[in-house]
């Protein structure tokens, strides 16, 4: 059985329905131990050789360390093999109900033991340079993740509206100008008002969510480490939406090659499904 056959067999109609209704779903045991071990080697290489896009997303007085890096699939062999050889593009296409699945970008997120820094509630798509609703992000831990440290989602929030993206530590509106989008409600102050979903995870489990689904996560407790690899995918209706500011991640010069409204057909965003 090929990798693609193995992982696509894990997707049934109930999983697809949950993704479209809630905007987030967990798929258990999606990847083999060998596939995860190879990915973990790539993560460690990334930590030792960060790209110019890397950043530390925790404060200097945090007893832990929150590290992020973006768009490394072209330089990191383990990332490239995972993205192109695991069959994950077929899973993304099934969940999006799209004829195609295109890579948007990869994203490494590592919270070392004792990290207090939360990832605050936010949507991903307002930070990006893409329009369209057929999209999906995969969040895959290579370490066990407790319910307290996992990603949480507000079920149904992917149906909109777009909400103001802000910097995580300083709460600044660096993307859309102030007042152009509604601000996020204070979800933590009134959690009972929302249907919040999330799952404790074991290595091999993966969470998939729409780029507009509100999500957040806590720090990591004790001696537990949380290394997670995220891959974002675009479907049939995705189009380029150049912004008048630097997106996160940035794609400098792309607006000179892809006009507004154009399909995301560019070497930076290779087609993963159907395989060429």
């Amino acid at each position: 059985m090929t990798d693609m056959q193995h992982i696509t067999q894990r997707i049934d109609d109930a999983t697809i329905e949950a993704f479209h209704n809630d905007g987030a779903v967990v798929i258990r045991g999606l990847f083999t131990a060998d596939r995860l071990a190879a990915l973990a080697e790539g993560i460690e290489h990334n930590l030792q050789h960060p790209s110019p896009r890397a950043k530390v997303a925790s404060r200097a007085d945090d007893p832990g360390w929150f590290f992020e890096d973006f768009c490394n699939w072209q330089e990191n062999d383990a990332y490239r093999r995972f993205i192109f050889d695991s069959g994950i593009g077929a899973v993304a296409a099934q969940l999006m109900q799209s004829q195609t699945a295109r890579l948007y970008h990869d994203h490494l997120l590592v919270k070392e033991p004792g990290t207090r820094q939360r990832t605050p509630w936010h949507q991903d798509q307002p930070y990006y340079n893409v329009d369209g609703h057929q999209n999906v992000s995969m969040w895959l831990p290579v370490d066990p993740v407790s319910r307290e440290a996992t990603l949480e989602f507000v079920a149904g929030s992917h149906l909109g509206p777009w909400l103001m993206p802000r910097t995580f530590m300083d709460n600044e509106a660096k993307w859309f100008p102030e007042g152009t989008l509604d601000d996020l409600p204070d979800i933590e102050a009134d959690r009972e008002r929302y249907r919040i979903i999330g799952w404790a995870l074991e290595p091999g489990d993966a969470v998939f969510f729409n780029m507009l689904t509100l999500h957040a996560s806590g720090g990591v407790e004790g001696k537990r480490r949380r290394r997670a690899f995220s891959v974002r995918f675009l479907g049939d209706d995705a189009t380029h939406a150049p912004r008048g500011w630097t997106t996160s991640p940035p794609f400098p010069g792309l607006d000179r090659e892809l006009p507004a409204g154009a399909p995301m057909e560019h070497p930076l965003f290779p087609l993963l499904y159907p395989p060429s």
Side-chain angles (χ1 to χ4, degrees), residues 254-276:
L254 185 63
D255 58 340
R256 296 192 294 271
E257 300 179 35
L258 279 183
M264 300 294 283
E265 297 172 358
H266 188 277
L268 286 175
F269 316 112
L271 192 67
L272 300 177
Y273 183 84
S276 58

Side-chain angles (χ1 to χ4, degrees), residues 96-104 125 128-136 162 210-211 232-242 258-266 269 271:
M96 293 186 293
Q97 294 291 274
S98 172
Q99 298 298 309
T100 62
R102 190 174 293 277
L103 173 65
Y104 182 39
Q125 195 165 356
Y128 295 161
N129 62 332
V130 291
D131 283 333
H133 196 69
Q134 282 176 299
N135 62 68
V136 63
W162 285 38
N210 186 277
M211 293 176 185
R232 280 71 191 256
F233 306 90
L234 303 174
D236 297 338
D237 73 349
T239 58
H240 189 211
L258 279 183
M264 300 294 283
E265 297 172 358
H266 188 277
F269 316 112
L271 192 67

Side-chain angles (χ1 to χ4, degrees), residues 25-40:
V25 70
V26 63
I27 303 176
R28 303 287 187 185
L30 190 60
F31 297 103
T32 65
D34 287 346
R35 182 68 68 184
L36 290 175
L39 179 59

Side-chain angles (χ1 to χ4, degrees), residues 5 8 30-32 38 50 67-68 74 86 98-99 105 115 125 137 139 179 225 247 252:
Q5 289 171 326
T8 54
L30 190 60
F31 297 103
T32 65
F67 172 87
E68 297 183 81
Q74 291 173 297
S86 69
S98 172
Q99 298 298 309
H105 68 88
T115 300
Q125 195 165 356
S137 294
W139 193 84
R225 193 182 193 200
T247 57

Side-chain angles (χ1 to χ4, degrees), residues 177-195:
E178 286 281 10
T180 55
L181 295 174
D182 289 341
D183 268 314
L184 272 73
D186 190 346
I187 295 169
E188 286 302 305
D190 193 12
R191 287 178 63 95
E192 297 303 315
R193 180 181 173 187
Y194 304 94
R195 187 161 72 90

